[in-house]
Every structure is written in structure tokens, then in C-alpha cells.
């Protein structure tokens, strides 16, 4: 059986691993990615200063090297190859292309210059080839006060990167131009805004705690923000993670500032209602909220203006549709049952999903392993029951890509990029430096 996996992030690679690790059905897997490099959000999402989480790529890389698994980078489904082409080349297609778009705030001024999606900012500091380098090189050096909207782990990553000194980031694999731009920024205040209370925040304690341990930033919390209503207090009591988060935030509220050059203001029950500014955002209008009995929020009408020349909207990722396959606009996922893509409740033969495009942008990297294994179990059951059609294109994808003049980056090509990034890092006394330029990545792959 030949299977195409679209997307080489953790869920795609875990799916490939599950396929080649079983012995009931012999399988060959091609992992296709539009980028010349693998690992998706492990490379372009996990914060570069989280070295231990980023080291997951070593585990993922081992899967790429397994017999029966190939990496086909720099191939875009939708332009270089269509789903119909893939259907003709493979017995089955597993879509694991994640959730690359951002959710919107839906407030006036959201599109002012200086207001950016966290997805774009994160892509930039991780060295994504499609990142808008010019935009961040223009915005950051002139920014002094930033507002980060949302209290998930991405918001915490963004706040930390903005509040860290370059000395605290120098050891990472961030591209040199990113380090230089961050160094030229003079942001003294970063406001982290949660629309609900500390008990409802979605960050995890380990990540949260790091904000209180930065060399050059004090963390400030208003005592009123950690006064819990009875429902939140019960939540903090019954759920260990929530209780630990609340403990960390309470300790910050009691802490005397050490007079460090930067400040992280962690605010709860605060939602932005408008971004103001002429050519560029200069003010965020924030409304005080209160929790409703249902756990949602409502405005109190009490307004505050926070000066900000950079606003990072970190309110979640969102999936995007794939060609003519069904798509649930409301939740941003491809409808499925146990990983089988469904249209009006009926399975669409040969198509499967795993990861964020299957269940939405939630969970940690490891969550995708169980998720991918479950999808592969459905696929293998279908293969054994004869529900899959055999490929009809004899030369397969290789002939098709050659015919169309697409430069495909193979596993060996990726290995060359890997070596080039390590060499670039070594030349600066680091383990690795990310190559951000697509042409340079392709040159490194070809050798
Ligand atoms: P997330 O955890 O879903 O957080 C989104 C945040 O945005 C929530 O605080 C949410 O508040 C808020 N929000 C949503 N709509 C809003 C609005 N209109 N106005 C104000 N706030 C709004 O998403 P994420 O931070 O993007 O993370 C995605 C996933 O990746 C998560 O599972 C996360 O744990 C994971 N991740 C993990 C790590 C790590 O382990 N180190 C690092 C990065 C990401 P409400 O709750 O009130 O909706």
C-alpha cells in the first residue's frame, strides 16, 4: 500500500511512524510538505528558547530516516499537485497540515499597522520562509509598549520573547536578523491580557512560571485580578493545573518589583474592545469584564486605555480548507469520524485526517501521537476490508513532479539542510542557526 501524508509536522510524522511500524499491511509512506524542510510547528511554532521541546525534532527525524518513509519537501498540494493527482498515485491520503491561519478579534482597529497575529510573529522569529521580515524589522525597533491579547501558551511564548534580553536568546537557533531586530527593539512594557480570570487561562504552569524568572523583566499583577469568585475558587481547588497557575499568579501579585528595565503586566478580566491610532496603533481600549455563571464573560462598561505601538493577537490558530474536501467553517476542521474524512456523515473513501486539522488547535505535541495512531487504525481497517482503491498512475508522484519541473527536497536534501544549519550555527558558537530564506534552503538541499 502507498500512503501520502500531507504535512510533516508531528501529527504527519507520527502517522507515518504508525504506518511503517505495523506488520499487517506492508506500507510505503511519502510525507509531502510545501516547505523544503520538515517538522511543521516543531520548527516554526515551538519557541526557539524552549530547547527541550524543540529537541522533539530528533525523534521525528528518526522516523524520516526509517525504511518505507520518504520526505517530499517543496511540494504544494493545490498548485504543484492536486488531491486528484494524489488519489491516482496513492491508496490513501492522510491530511495533517494543521491550522496555519489565525483567529480574529473582531474589534475596530484590528487591521491597523502595528497590530499583528501571533501566528505571523511566531513564524517570523522562528525563521519561516514566508514570514514578513520587512514588517517586523520596521515595527519592532520603533516599539516601546506591546499588548499581547490572549492567555494561552502561544501568548506566553510571545510575551517571553518580547521581554527577554538578546543575551537570553543568543543560544537559540533564531536567524541572525531576528536576533538583531529584537536587540534593536526598546520595548519596556508588555501587557498580557486575559478576558477571563486566572482560573480560566489556558497556559500551563511550567510555561507561565518562566515569565517570573526573566533577567530583565519584572512581572506585575494587580491583587484585584487574583481575587477569585466562588466558581473559579472551586475550579482552582479541584483542578491541579488551575490551582498551580493561580498560585504562581498570586505569588507575583505579592512580589515587590525589582526595578528591572522591562515590565510584564499580567491582566485578567480585561478584553480589548478597540485599537486606536492614525497610521499605526497607539492605544488599546480595554474593558473590564466579569465572569457570567456559565463561565463566559460580559463587559462592565469600565474602560482603560493602554498605550501600545505593537499589538499581538494571540487568540488561537485556525484551520483552512483543502481544495474540494468538506470543511467545518465554524470549528475550522475537516469533518471526520475516527479520522475518516466525512461528507454529510458519509466517509469520503481514501481520505483521512490527523492532528489540528482533525480536532482543532489544542493539546501538546504528544497529543498528536495518540491522535495519529487512532487515524492510522481506521485507515488500516479500511485497507483490510477492501474499502480503498489502488493507485492508477504507474510512475507515481516522482514522474509527475519531474514532468512538472518541481524541485522536490528528499530526505537526503533535508539532511543537507540540517548539516548546513548546524555549520552556520557552529560558525557563531551555537548548535544551529535556522536558514530562513527559501532559495538558500533549496540551494543547501541540492548541495
Ligand atoms: P489557546 O490555548 O486556545 O489560547 C487562546 C487564548 O485566546 C485563550 O486565552 C482565549 O481565551 C483567548 N481568546 C480567544 N478569543 C479571544 C477574544 N476574542 N478576545 C480575547 N481573548 C480571546 O491557544 P494558543 O495559545 O494559540 O495555543 C494553541 C495550542 O498550542 C494549545 O494547546 C497550547 O497549549 C499549545 N502550545 C503549547 C506550548 C507549550 O507546551 N509550551 C507552546 C505553545 C502552544 P478564552 O479561554 O476566554 O477563550
Amino acid at each position: 500500500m502507498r500512503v501520502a501524508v500531507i504535512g510533516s509536522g508531528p501529527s504527519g510524522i507520527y502517522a507515518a511512524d504508525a504506518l511503517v511500524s505495523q506488520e499487517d499491511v506492508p506500507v510505503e509512506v511519502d510525507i509531502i510538505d510545501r516547505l523544503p524542510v520538515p517538522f511543521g510547528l516543531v520548527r516554526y511554532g515551538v519557541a526557539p528558547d524552549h530547547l527541550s521541546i524543540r529537541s522533539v525534532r530528533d525523534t521525528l527525524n528518526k522516523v524520516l530516516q526509517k525504511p518505507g518513509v520518504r520526505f517530499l519537501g517543496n511540494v504544494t498540494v493545490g498548485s504543484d499537485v492536486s488531491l486528484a493527482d494524489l488519489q491516482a498515485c496513492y491508496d490513501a491520503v492522510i491530511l495533517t497540515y494543521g491550522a496555519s491561519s489565525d483567529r480574529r478579534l473582531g474589534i475596530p482597529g484590528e487591521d491597523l499597522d502595528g497590530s499583528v497575529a501571533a501566528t505571523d510573529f511566531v513564524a517570523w522569529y522562528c525563521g519561516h520562509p514566508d514570514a514578513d521580515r520587512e514588517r517586523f524589522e520596521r515595527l519592532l525597533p520603533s516599539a516601546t509598549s506591546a499588548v499581547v491579547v490572549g492567555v494561552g501558551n502561544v501568548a506566553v511564548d510571545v510575551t517571553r520573547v518580547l521581554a527577554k534580553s538578546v543575551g537570553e536568546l543568543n543560544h537559540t537557533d533564531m536567524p541572525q536578523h531576528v536576533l538583531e531586530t529584537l536587540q534593536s527593539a526598546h520595548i519596556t512594557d508588555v501587557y498580557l491580557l486575559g478576558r477571563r480570570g486566572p482560573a480560566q487561562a489556558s497556559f500551563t504552569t511550567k510555561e507561565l512560571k518562566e515569565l517570573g524568572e526573566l533577567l530583565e523583566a519584572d512581572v506585575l499583577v494587580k491583587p484585584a485580578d487574583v481575587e477569585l469568585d466562588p466558581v473559579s475558587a472551586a475550579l482552582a481547588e479541584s483542578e491541579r493545573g488551575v490551582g498551580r497557575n493561580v498560585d504562581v499568579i498570586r505569588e507575583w501579585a505579592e512580589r515587590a518589583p525589582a526595578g528591572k528595565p522591562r515590565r510584564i503586566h499580567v491582566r485578567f478580566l480585561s478584553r480589548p474592545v478597540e485599537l486606536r491610532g492614525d497610521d499605526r496603533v497607539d492605544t488599546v481600549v480595554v474593558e473590564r469584564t466579569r465572569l457570567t455563571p456559565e463561565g463566559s464573560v460580559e463587559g462592565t462598561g469600565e474602560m482603560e486605555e493602554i498605550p501600545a505601538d505593537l499589538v499581538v493577537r494571540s487568540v488561537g490558530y485556525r484551520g483552512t480548507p483543502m481544495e474540494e474536501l468538506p470543511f467545518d467553517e465554524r470549528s475550522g476542521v475537516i469533518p471526520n469520524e475516527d479520522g475518516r474524512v466525512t461528507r454529510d456523515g458519509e466517509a469520503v473513501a481514501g481520505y483521512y485526517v490527523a492532528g489540528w486539522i482533525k480536532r482543532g488547535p489544542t493539546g501538546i505535541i504528544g497529543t498528536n501521537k495518540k491522535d495519529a495512531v487512532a487515524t492510522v487504525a481506521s485507515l488500516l481497517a479500511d485497507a483490510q476490508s477492501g474499502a480503498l482503491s489502488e493507485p492508477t498512475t504507474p510512475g507515481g508522484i516522482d514522474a509527475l513532479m519531474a514532468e512538472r519541473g518541481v524541485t522536490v527536497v528528499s530526505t537526503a536534501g533535508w539532511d543537507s539542510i540540517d548539516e548546513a544549519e548546524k555549520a552556520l550555527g557552529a560558525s557563531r558558537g551555537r548548535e544551529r542557526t535556522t536558514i530562513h530564506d527559501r532559495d538558500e534552503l533549496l540551494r543547501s538541499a541540492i548541495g
Side-chain angles (χ1 to χ4, degrees):
M1 184 165 68
R2 295 182 56 75
V3 177
V5 171
I6 304 177
S8 64
S11 47
I13 294 187
Y14 287 137
D17 197 23
L19 282 164
V20 297
S21 301
Q22 53 80 43
E23 286 168 1
D24 296 336
V25 185
V27 186
E28 287 182 351
V29 187
D30 285 348
I31 305 176
I32 298 170
D33 204 297
R34 72 185 184 86
L35 294 177
V37 289
F39 310 142
L41 281 184
V42 167
R43 184 176 163 104
Y44 294 120
V46 174
D49 60 338
H50 276 171
L51 301 185
S52 70
I53 308 181
R54 273 175 97 82
S55 70
V56 170
R57 67 167 147 202
D58 298 338
T59 312
L60 301 179
N61 204 22
K62 286 195 182 110
V63 178
L64 289 189
Q65 314 293 335
K66 283 191 176 183
V69 178
R70 298 196 306 170
F71 175 63
L72 275 63
N74 199 40
V75 175
T76 303
V77 177
S79 52
D80 295 324
V81 66
S82 66
L83 279 184
D85 293 328
L86 293 179
Q87 210 173 21
C89 295
Y90 297 93
D91 298 72
V93 176
I94 310 182
L95 304 139
T96 61
Y97 61 92
S100 58
S101 185
D102 60 297
R103 286 172 55 193
R104 306 274 301 167
L105 286 173
I107 59 170
E110 184 167 8
D111 294 317
L112 272 173
D113 192 28
S115 162
V116 302
T119 45
D120 293 338
F121 183 54
V122 171
W124 171 74
Y125 68 59
C126 289
H128 193 292
D130 299 341
D132 190 345
R133 186 174 160 183
E134 180 280 326
R135 185 185 193 195
F136 290 103
E137 290 184 359
R138 182 173 53 79
L139 289 176
L140 282 165
S142 52
T144 55
S145 175
V147 165
V148 180
V149 184
V151 280
N153 277 329
V154 172
V156 170
D157 282 348
V158 165
T159 301
R160 196 179 62 254
V161 167
L162 287 172
K164 267 191 172 181
S165 59
V166 164
E168 292 168 283
L169 295 169
N170 252 335
H171 63 293
T172 70
D173 60 11
M174 280 179 170
Q176 191 61 26
H177 70 265
V178 171
L179 288 169
E180 283 166 10
T181 304
L182 289 171
Q183 187 157 30
S184 68
H186 303 286
I187 296 176
T188 55
D189 294 87
V190 184
Y191 294 81
L192 181 61
L193 300 187
R195 62 178 170 179
R196 297 191 286 161
Q200 288 78 27
S202 54
F203 42 54
T204 41
T205 314
K206 185 167 167 284
E207 282 64 29
L208 178 69
K209 265 175 115 170
E210 284 178 71
L211 292 183
E213 294 160 2
L214 304 186
L215 284 182
E216 294 198 356
D218 279 323
V219 58
L220 309 175
V221 178
K222 290 180 176 173
D225 279 14
V226 272
E227 279 168 19
L228 301 187
D229 66 288
V231 174
S232 302
L235 202 62
E237 194 65 38
S238 62
E239 287 193 28
R240 271 180 63 201
V242 173
R244 282 197 298 243
N245 282 349
V246 170
D247 288 345
V248 169
I249 296 160
R250 281 212 172 112
E251 192 266 311
W252 288 347
E254 287 162 11
R255 214 189 253 191
K260 294 179 183 178
R262 299 171 200 198
R263 290 161 294 277
I264 299 171
H265 309 258
V266 183
R267 299 277 180 90
F268 294 98
L269 298 171
S270 301
R271 69 173 176 200
V273 289
E274 185 183 354
L275 308 188
R276 286 190 191 146
D278 295 327
D279 298 336
R280 174 174 172 173
V281 64
D282 58 35
T283 305
V284 179
V285 183
V286 174
E287 182 179 26
R288 187 80 182 162
T289 62
R290 61 178 154 247
L291 288 165
T292 65
E294 298 77 39
S296 178
V297 281
E298 59 189 14
T300 61
E302 189 190 323
M303 301 291 179
E304 179 191 359
E305 292 187 5
I306 298 179
D309 32 30
L310 181 71
V311 175
V312 186
R313 309 178 311 262
S314 183
V315 295
Y317 287 74
R318 193 181 149 72
T320 52
M322 170 63 79
E323 290 195 6
E324 66 277 9
L325 283 181
F327 187 70
D328 182 339
E329 282 294 342
R330 199 184 45 83
S331 50
V333 301
I334 294 183
N336 69 92
E337 223 177 285
D338 300 329
R340 295 178 178 93
V341 173
T342 57
R343 192 191 302 276
D344 303 327
E346 294 290 316
V348 182
Y351 289 105
Y352 300 84
V353 277
W356 279 8
I357 197 63
K358 172 185 177 186
R359 60 168 210 281
T362 58
I364 57 170
I365 295 170
T367 316
N368 296 299
K369 184 162 190 173
K370 209 171 144 213
D371 181 305
V373 166
T375 292
V376 166
S378 297
L379 190 159
L380 292 171
D382 292 350
Q384 285 170 320
S385 71
L388 301 178
S389 324
E390 284 185 13
T392 51
T393 305
I397 190 147
D398 301 274
L400 212 56
M401 293 299 92
E403 201 178 288
R404 294 179 186 169
V406 179
T407 306
V408 180
V409 176
S410 63
T411 309
W414 154 241
D415 290 342
S416 303
I417 296 174
D418 196 26
E419 287 309 316
E421 292 193 331
K422 285 178 183 158
L424 186 60
S427 70
R428 298 193 176 108
R430 297 185 205 133
E431 199 178 314
R432 169 193 297 275
T433 294
T434 299
I435 298 173
H436 70 281
D437 182 73
R438 185 182 277 266
D439 292 338
E440 197 180 336
L441 287 168
L442 290 175
R443 277 196 300 276
S444 304
I446 293 158

